Amino acid sequence: MAKKIYFTPGPSDIYFTVEEHLKNALKEQIPAISHRSKRFQEIYAEAESNLRTLFGLPNDFHLAFTASATEVWERLIQNCVEKESFHFVNGSFSQRFYEIAGELGRTAKMAKADYGSYTPIGEVAIPASAELISVTQNETSTGVAFPQNEIEQLKAAYPNALIAVDFVSSAPVSNIDFSKIDTAYLSVQKCFGLPAGLGVWFYNDRCLERAKALQSKGQVIGSYHSLLKLHEGGLKKQTPETPNVLFIYLLGKVAGDMLSKGLDRIRIEAEYKATVLYTYFENHPLFAPFVKDAGARSKTVIVAETGQHTAALIDFLKTRGMVVGSGYGPFKDSHIRVANFPTHSKESIELLVDTIDTFKQ
Amino acid sequence: MAKKIYFTPGPSDIYFTVEEHLKNALKEQIPAISHRSKRFQEIYAEAESNLRTLFGLPNDFHLAFTASATEVWERLIQNCVEKESFHFVNGSFSQRFYEIAGELGRTAKMAKADYGSYTPIGEVAIPASAELISVTQNETSTGVAFPQNEIEQLKAAYPNALIAVDFVSSAPVSNIDFSKIDTAYLSVQKCFGLPAGLGVWFYNDRCLERAKALQSKGQVIGSYHSLLKLHEGGLKKQTPETPNVLFIYLLGKVAGDMLSKGLDRIRIEAEYKATVLYTYFENHPLFAPFVKDAGARSKTVIVAETGQHTAALIDFLKTRGMVVGSGYGPFKDSHIRVANFPTHSKESIELLVDTIDTFKQ
């Protein structure tokens, strides 16, 4: 059976180098090595170093490996929030983080935007009691990208709060100024094109200090994956538990490939492919980009209103070897979502557009 | 470079069918599929069904996928213990679970055995206030197997407590009577011979009831991976977060392979190979089994006292293509640990023994 092209917004098509790295990993018997061995420390160090370079991480930032970005939501609240967090909610994932804070017994407050848009920072008075402010840079459910210049206003306006950025489905294509935030996180099945099962958590010294302060107050900050335990492990290029060694290996390799290719080039390509998609949907007689504000359109998750044609369009594309995502939550039957990740070639995006163009409703 | 044989007690050599399943997974594009798709539900159902059959799981038992067995420690305490747990500690891993209960703010009590032995159930008066009693069926750090008839006494003696069994490094070789326990957990990089990064948590209705009761009392039982959320997901053959789809696929396949081979045969082979190893160490002029009580010797993790020869022996074996584990914790420089998992053939165990026999101190 011919392989399909997956444009689903994560999991999605694997990065084009992953199969080769997987073969090498088996040849090197990576799945068999001990996570307390020198070889594992080298793998950890390679992944860490490549990610540091790729993201231009400042010196006061660190990173840790978790099982998912969902896990980071829980760990962030446990380690960095004693009582109250504040969430910019504009889709299902930002909403879920808000809910998790509540499930963990914190007071969670939010500014909720209409689906397909975001709430400008200046329009909200965030309570001074908010210890953490969460912004979703790229809402995978709606395709809204929170503009970078908006996010960058937060730190100056709320210097006592930790600024947390969800860039799960845009990193490293999105350009984040780490000096304007305190923590960010991603999962590897999006732009890195790996199989799902690993999250990466970037955090700075302020987050560490917060976790220490909460712990010394007697607050439970978790156990094996408290930020302090993760950090302590990371200093030794180790993890507290037996981790997903294989995927850490693969992530290091793919991050290395992206460095070789050049992040600038990856970003220019993403921009080009996004323009192809948005321009196409803008000019389509039946379909339209869901996000009306062109300045808030995600470059990596393109959401189109496809209304009553949605199911037929998805089926039509599937029979032609292309899998796009359905809409999320309330838009399941009226949107399609198209991933524009680094592994999706210009040619594949053009093929997708050309194929949609032959769709007769 | 010729491949080595890894006898390390997990991660260890991958199960001999894993490479083939991995190839098929790539061919089927398993890493690209959505975790909300019908295809994923089939993968989940296959893994669940094969594990249910392999373990002979009673109807009141369920299973959930976590990132590791370490995660299960945390989730068990959060969901099943309000105030107090009790732990049979006889090595580093049972000790770590005890510590995690404390880190999560519970009163953790323990009966501590000397390394290399266990505390018989009848010798301990467990407080009636203990809500959960933890036994490590197979202590990976010391090679002690807690005898099954001991574990089976717990439920009758302490009917109000939940009985939790760590069989991380012995399942499914060890024979557990699920009607005598309430929960058990494993990680896939041991006997299942998969890459690390997935845990399996078995729990019964009593555990679920406990989690519900704690939640209705206002206790925080976690968020995305509370037992209730995991269970709710499982009923739909889904997980709360984007899981490690690839490893769940591989686990289902390997469990299926073990069913085809027959668990009886796997157990008989384990018994045979363990006998080869223990007999060899018993008769060795310099080395000896660490566990003196033959009835408490693990069949899957064989620990030998190798004293001052340890480092030289490990190096000697490595140059001959065999990797054994070093001792754990205080025994790092005086023990070796040898995994005897289903992937380790009789021939490979015999080769190991023959090679050790040529070691000149």
Side-chain angles (χ1 to χ4, degrees):
Chain A
M1 205 173 65
K3 284 205 175 182
K4 293 190 174 73
I5 307 175
Y6 279 83
F7 293 103
T8 41
S12 195
D13 261 352
I14 53 176
Y15 197 64
F16 63 94
T17 59
V18 165
E19 284 209 35
E20 190 62 26
H21 294 310
L22 206 45
K23 267 184 218 161
N24 290 334
L26 292 174
K27 214 182 291 173
E28 291 182 48
Q29 297 180 279
I30 300 300
I33 66 168
S34 165
H35 58 293
R36 299 294 177 229
S37 67
K38 199 164 161 292
R39 181 72 187 98
F40 176 70
Q41 289 174 310
E42 292 164 3
I43 289 168
Y44 189 111
E46 180 179 351
E48 184 184 24
S49 162
N50 284 348
L51 289 169
R52 273 199 169 278
T53 310
L54 194 63
F55 284 94
L57 225 54
N59 284 333
D60 65 331
F61 263 82
H62 317 280
L63 66 86
F65 300 109
T66 62
S68 61
T70 304
E71 184 185 352
V72 179
W73 286 336
E74 182 170 291
R75 304 307 178 193
L76 252 180
I77 297 297
Q78 287 174 326
N79 286 272
C80 296
V81 178
E82 185 186 1
K83 291 178 181 151
E84 187 175 325
S85 59
F86 187 89
H87 303 256
F88 283 88
V89 171
N90 61 341
S92 303
F93 293 97
S94 40
Q95 168 93 23
R96 185 71 192 109
F97 186 20
Y98 161 82
E99 288 165 0
I100 279 181
E103 288 166 15
L104 295 172
R106 272 62 164 187
T107 300
K109 295 182 177 166
M110 67 159 149
K112 193 163 188 168
D114 290 337
Y115 284 117
S117 63
Y118 67 94
T119 309
I121 305 294
E123 289 182 9
V124 186
I126 299 172
S129 44
E131 301 153 63
L132 178 141
I133 300 170
S134 159
V135 189
T136 301
Q137 194 279 324
N138 201 66
E139 238 308 339
T140 318
S141 65
T142 60
V144 171
F146 217 106
Q148 183 60 17
N149 61 351
E150 289 281 333
I151 296 176
E152 288 179 5
Q153 293 170 34
L154 279 168
K155 209 172 169 74
Y158 303 95
N160 294 324
L162 296 172
I163 311 301
V165 173
D166 176 335
F167 62 170
V168 165
S169 55
S170 59
V173 171
S174 60
N175 205 344
I176 289 277
D177 181 349
F178 279 91
S179 74
K180 299 282 171 55
I181 66 170
D182 297 290
T183 178
Y185 48 93
L186 62 87
S187 49
V188 301
Q189 74 274 17
K190 311 288 186 181
C191 291
F192 283 98
L194 292 184
L198 193 68
V200 182
W201 182 8
F202 300 100
Y203 56 92
N204 68 7
D205 288 336
R206 287 185 76 205
C207 295
L208 274 178
E209 291 311 314
R210 185 70 59 91
K212 279 181 205 161
L214 294 186
Q215 190 180 47
S216 66
K217 272 188 180 183
Q219 180 171 313
V220 169
I221 59 171
S223 61
Y224 73 110
H225 265 192
S226 76
L227 184 57
L228 302 182
K229 285 267 167 57
L230 285 166
H231 186 71
E232 194 185 304
L235 293 176
K236 296 180 290 186
K237 310 302 169 207
Q238 286 186 350
T239 56
E241 84 294 15
T242 313
N244 193 327
V245 176
L246 180 60
F247 288 8
I248 294 174
Y249 169 94
L250 293 176
L251 178 59
K253 295 298 178 194
V254 168
D257 296 334
M258 289 184 170
L259 284 171
S260 302
K261 178 166 183 171
L263 192 51
D264 282 354
R265 198 172 136 201
I266 289 171
R267 286 176 175 160
I268 289 167
E269 286 179 7
E271 182 89 37
Y272 171 85
K273 293 180 293 171
T275 304
V276 168
L277 286 163
Y278 282 120
T279 307
Y280 177 73
F281 288 121
E282 275 172 350
N283 293 307
H284 197 279
L286 298 168
F287 308 150
F290 176 51
V291 180
K292 303 307 168 197
D293 173 359
R297 284 178 184 164
S298 166
K299 293 189 176 59
T300 50
V301 178
I302 284 83
V303 179
E305 295 172 320
T306 43
Q308 62 187 31
H309 309 293
T310 304
L313 176 61
I314 289 174
D315 281 350
F316 175 83
L317 291 171
K318 203 171 279 173
T319 60
R320 279 145 186 88
M322 280 164 273
V323 185
V324 298
S326 56
Y328 203 91
F331 303 106
K332 190 168 169 37
D333 299 322
S334 56
H335 286 179
I336 61 165
R337 293 181 302 148
V338 179
N340 172 27
F341 293 157
T343 200
H344 298 111
S345 66
K346 285 191 255 190
E347 291 71 19
S348 72
I349 296 286
E350 283 157 3
L351 178 65
L352 176 67
V353 163
D354 291 346
T355 308
I356 296 178
D357 216 44
T358 65
F359 171 73
K360 306 279 181 237
Q361 63 286 355
Chain B
M1 206 174 64
K3 285 205 176 180
K4 293 191 175 71
I5 307 176
Y6 280 83
F7 293 103
T8 40
S12 196
D13 262 352
I14 53 176
Y15 196 65
F16 63 95
T17 59
V18 166
E19 284 209 37
E20 190 62 29
H21 294 311
L22 205 45
K23 265 183 221 162
N24 290 335
L26 291 174
K27 213 181 292 172
E28 292 181 48
Q29 296 178 279
I30 300 299
I33 65 167
S34 165
H35 57 295
R36 300 293 176 229
S37 67
K38 198 164 162 291
R39 181 71 187 100
F40 176 70
Q41 290 175 308
E42 291 164 2
I43 289 168
Y44 189 112
E46 180 178 351
E48 185 184 24
S49 161
N50 284 348
L51 289 169
R52 273 200 169 276
T53 310
L54 195 62
F55 284 94
L57 225 54
N59 284 334
D60 66 331
F61 263 81
H62 319 278
L63 66 87
F65 298 110
T66 63
S68 60
T70 303
E71 185 185 351
V72 179
W73 286 336
E74 183 170 290
R75 303 307 177 191
L76 253 180
I77 296 296
Q78 287 174 327
N79 285 272
C80 296
V81 178
E82 184 185 2
K83 291 178 181 151
E84 187 175 326
S85 59
F86 188 90
H87 303 256
F88 282 89
V89 171
N90 61 342
S92 303
F93 294 97
S94 39
Q95 169 92 25
R96 185 70 193 110
F97 186 20
Y98 161 82
E99 289 165 1
I100 278 181
E103 288 166 16
L104 294 173
R106 271 62 165 187
T107 301
K109 294 181 177 166
M110 66 159 148
K112 194 165 187 167
D114 291 337
Y115 284 116
S117 63
Y118 67 94
T119 309
I121 305 294
E123 288 183 9
V124 187
I126 300 172
S129 45
E131 301 154 61
L132 178 141
I133 300 170
S134 159
V135 189
T136 302
Q137 194 278 325
N138 200 67
E139 238 308 338
T140 318
S141 65
T142 60
V144 171
F146 217 105
Q148 183 61 18
N149 62 350
E150 289 281 332
I151 295 176
E152 289 179 4
Q153 293 171 34
L154 279 168
K155 211 173 168 75
Y158 303 96
N160 294 324
L162 295 172
I163 311 301
V165 173
D166 176 335
F167 60 171
V168 165
S169 55
S170 59
V173 171
S174 59
N175 206 343
I176 289 278
D177 180 350
F178 280 91
S179 73
K180 297 281 171 53
I181 66 170
D182 297 290
T183 177
Y185 48 94
L186 62 87
S187 49
V188 301
Q189 74 274 18
K190 310 288 187 183
C191 291
F192 284 99
L194 292 183
L198 193 67
V200 182
W201 182 7
F202 301 100
Y203 56 91
N204 67 7
D205 288 336
R206 286 186 76 206
C207 296
L208 273 178
E209 292 311 315
R210 185 70 57 91
K212 280 181 204 160
L214 294 186
Q215 190 181 48
S216 66
K217 273 188 179 183
Q219 179 171 312
V220 169
I221 58 169
S223 61
Y224 72 110
H225 266 192
S226 76
L227 183 57
L228 302 182
K229 284 266 166 57
L230 285 166
H231 185 72
E232 194 185 305
L235 293 175
K236 294 180 290 186
K237 311 301 168 206
Q238 286 186 349
T239 57
E241 84 294 15
T242 313
N244 193 328
V245 177
L246 180 60
F247 288 8
I248 294 174
Y249 169 93
L250 293 176
L251 178 59
K253 295 297 177 194
V254 169
D257 295 334
M258 289 184 171
L259 283 172
S260 303
K261 177 164 181 172
L263 192 51
D264 281 353
R265 197 171 137 201
I266 289 172
R267 286 177 175 160
I268 289 167
E269 285 179 4
E271 182 89 36
Y272 171 84
K273 294 180 292 170
T275 303
V276 168
L277 286 162
Y278 283 120
T279 306
Y280 176 72
F281 287 122
E282 274 172 349
N283 293 308
H284 197 278
L286 298 168
F287 308 150
F290 176 50
V291 180
K292 302 309 165 195
D293 174 0
R297 284 179 184 162
S298 166
K299 292 188 177 57
T300 51
V301 179
I302 284 83
V303 179
E305 295 173 320
T306 43
Q308 62 187 35
H309 309 292
T310 304
L313 176 62
I314 289 174
D315 281 351
F316 175 83
L317 291 171
K318 204 171 278 171
T319 60
R320 280 147 186 87
M322 279 164 271
V323 186
V324 298
S326 56
Y328 203 92
F331 304 106
K332 189 167 171 37
D333 300 321
S334 56
H335 285 177
I336 61 165
R337 293 181 302 147
V338 178
N340 172 28
F341 293 158
T343 200
H344 298 111
S345 66
K346 286 190 253 188
E347 292 72 19
S348 72
I349 295 287
E350 283 157 4
L351 178 66
L352 176 67
V353 163
D354 290 347
T355 309
I356 295 177
D357 216 43
T358 65
F359 172 72
K360 306 279 179 236
Q361 63 288 354

